[in-house]
Amino acid sequence: MDSDDMRDADWAIVEVLSHGRNNAPNIAEETDYSKQYIRERLKRLSDEGIVINIGSGIYELVSEEVPERD
């Protein structure tokens, strides 16, 4: 995934996860996106290797996989 494919919600997720592991409900609350939409974006980011689901719905950022922001 390159930066052109990243949505605003993706960047918001990256920002939240840059401060540590978190789950979809907390990320949704911090970013003002719906839980469902955050879950969808986390799935996409996980498929691209930018985040990892470490279990029990907790996600961790893979910093080296985050594209440079234009």
Side-chain angles (χ1 to χ4, degrees):
M1 177 181 274
D2 63 27
S3 64
D4 293 336
D5 296 327
M6 297 274 287
R7 297 182 180 176
D8 289 341
D10 298 333
W11 292 115
I13 291 167
V14 166
E15 174 62 26
V16 171
L17 291 178
S18 72
H19 299 285
R21 298 172 176 167
N22 216 325
N23 63 23
N26 288 341
I27 295 169
E29 187 173 313
E30 288 188 41
T31 60
D32 290 328
Y33 289 99
S34 73
K35 287 183 262 188
Q36 180 59 38
Y37 187 60
I38 292 297
R39 284 186 184 102
E40 289 171 15
R41 298 315 302 166
L42 283 166
K43 169 78 169 93
R44 172 88 167 128
L45 292 171
S46 180
D47 290 346
E48 295 292 332
I50 296 171
V51 301
I52 298 171
N53 183 341
I54 62 168
S56 300
I58 305 295
Y59 287 85
E60 180 175 84
L61 186 65
V62 182
S63 300
E64 59 271 9
E65 295 299 324
V66 176
E68 292 286 328
R69 193 166 190 178
D70 293 334

